[in-house]
Amino acid sequence: MSFGNHEIMSNPRADRVRDIARLSNARERSKRGEFLAEGPQAVREALRRHHELEAAGKTGVVHTVYATSVGIGRLEELADPNNSDLVRQVTPEVLAAMADTVTPQGMVAVCRMDVSSLEDMVARAPRLVAVLCRVQDPGNAGTIVRAADAAGADAMVITAGSVDIFNPKAVRSTAGSLFHMPVVTGASTEDVVAALKAAGVQILAADGYGSFDLDELQEESVRRRTLASGAAPSIDAVETQDGSGSQGDSETQGSVVVLENPTTWLFGNEAQGLNDEELALADARVAVPLYGIAESLNVGTAATVCLYASARAQRRSNR
């Protein structure tokens, strides 16, 4: 039996199958610079990014897609002649041996890690960046990547000490968003903040005990836009207690936050949040108000709220 120019892979104990399965291991991924993307959405976006890069004269991200006959029927891109060199048909038993999930969705792609350098990211003059500081859960990391993509962020930074964003669970949680924007990995939070501050980007820390209230910042953004009557936003901003607006502590008094300005958000560890050193790097600490009796928000939820607040303010200022 064959599919395209290749025999259908049917031996789940073959060396190639075992080689692909080893990409579930972080050390193997790091050594080879490859990772697994499972399921229709991830594979579709990987292929889209692959052809986008090749059209620009660059190396694509997809090495090979392995799919069952059912999987090929689920995703029309897999039957596209333009992808024939990238697709290998396998039996369900082979796919099960390759994939990280217990019940794979009919396809898995072996992809090249397409990461950006910190210097390249800053050179693109980003207006909205999400930085993960010691975030450990792959589901949370993937959720924040997806939220950043949906909010129109220009880049993601996964700092040293955070979960591997190419972990299969993290990749699945991004729902394909990992292929939509530049991703910087392994940089220190200090280096990231220093580079972005030098480029004129304000640094905001998402902190439940922050001196600034996100709702008030959004209201001030709307007020500036209204007063400007279509012109550029005024320089007015919410200030700490020695100015006007939210009361602040000694570390943030006198700080000015303009939500529509180029912004980087720092998001911290699930259990501990941002530590003192990370908080000290920020220009301001911003709290998402809680109206109910919940003690706190999950970091993925908090990140979504913060990123959308910035995105909405920036979009208003550009109209």
Side-chain angles (χ1 to χ4, degrees):
M1 298 174 63
S2 64
F3 173 78
N5 298 321
H6 304 284
E7 291 293 317
I8 296 175
M9 295 174 61
S10 59
N11 181 5
R13 291 177 295 279
D15 289 343
R16 180 180 295 184
V17 175
R18 292 174 178 172
D19 189 52
I20 293 166
R22 281 195 289 270
L23 288 174
S24 292
N25 179 271
R27 183 176 297 180
E28 192 70 18
R29 290 194 298 273
S30 178
K31 182 175 73 174
R32 292 162 54 180
E34 296 177 336
F35 68 101
L36 299 177
E38 294 186 36
Q41 182 66 17
V43 171
R44 178 188 298 110
E45 298 311 304
L47 287 169
R48 183 199 62 78
R49 178 61 175 161
H50 179 85
H51 291 302
E52 182 180 82
L53 287 169
E54 287 200 328
K58 300 177 181 179
T59 303
V61 294
V62 177
H63 182 274
T64 308
V65 178
Y66 300 92
T68 64
S69 60
V70 172
I72 292 170
R74 290 183 65 186
L75 190 63
E76 62 182 16
E77 285 86 350
L78 300 184
D80 187 333
N82 291 324
N83 291 323
S84 60
D85 291 339
L86 297 173
V87 181
R88 291 292 307 272
Q89 186 172 334
V90 300
T91 63
E93 293 77 17
V94 166
L95 189 69
M98 290 177 171
D100 178 70
T101 54
V102 176
T103 54
Q105 301 177 60
M107 65 198 73
V108 59
V110 175
C111 299
R112 176 180 64 84
M113 293 181 183
D114 183 23
V115 295
S116 295
S117 69
L118 177 58
E119 294 75 17
D120 285 346
M121 185 266 285
V122 173
R124 295 188 181 100
R127 290 188 54 78
L128 183 57
V129 180
V131 178
L132 303 191
C133 305
R134 297 175 299 106
V135 171
Q136 297 298 307
D137 183 77
N140 284 334
T143 295
I144 297 172
V145 171
R146 188 175 182 181
D149 178 27
D154 300 298
M156 280 291 314
V157 180
I158 318 296
T159 63
S162 292
V163 67
D164 178 7
I165 196 60
F166 297 106
N167 174 301
K169 182 178 179 181
V171 175
R172 290 195 297 275
S173 296
T174 71
S177 289
L178 186 61
F179 300 103
H180 293 169
M181 64 183 137
V183 176
V184 176
T185 63
S188 71
T189 304
E190 293 84 352
D191 288 346
V192 171
V193 169
L196 288 164
K197 280 188 175 182
V201 179
Q202 70 180 347
I203 311 298
L204 302 182
D207 175 27
Y209 300 99
S211 301
F212 293 92
D213 181 295
L214 187 61
D215 273 3
E216 293 179 5
L217 293 177
Q218 292 183 92
E219 289 167 3
E220 285 295 312
S221 175
V222 172
R223 184 181 69 84
R224 285 191 294 273
R225 179 61 181 168
T226 301
L227 293 176
S229 300
S234 72
I235 61 171
D236 294 341
V238 176
E239 296 186 9
T240 47
Q241 193 170 355
D242 62 337
S244 62
S246 300
Q247 294 188 353
D249 56 32
S250 60
E251 294 184 16
T252 57
Q253 284 189 358
S255 296
V256 177
V257 177
V258 179
L259 202 58
E260 52 268 38
N261 280 354
T263 299
T264 289
W265 282 95
L266 306 181
F267 303 110
N269 177 267
E270 291 87 346
Q272 303 164 353
L274 294 163
N275 62 30
D276 290 342
E277 291 76 16
E278 291 158 347
L279 289 170
L281 294 171
D283 296 312
R285 307 173 189 180
V286 180
V288 177
L290 302 176
Y291 303 120
I293 59 176
E295 180 184 7
S296 63
L297 289 174
N298 168 276
V299 65
T301 303
T304 301
V305 174
C306 293
L307 290 165
Y308 263 90
S310 286
R312 291 182 67 191
Q314 291 178 359
R315 288 172 65 85
R316 278 195 299 266
S317 72
N318 290 332
R319 289 175 183 167

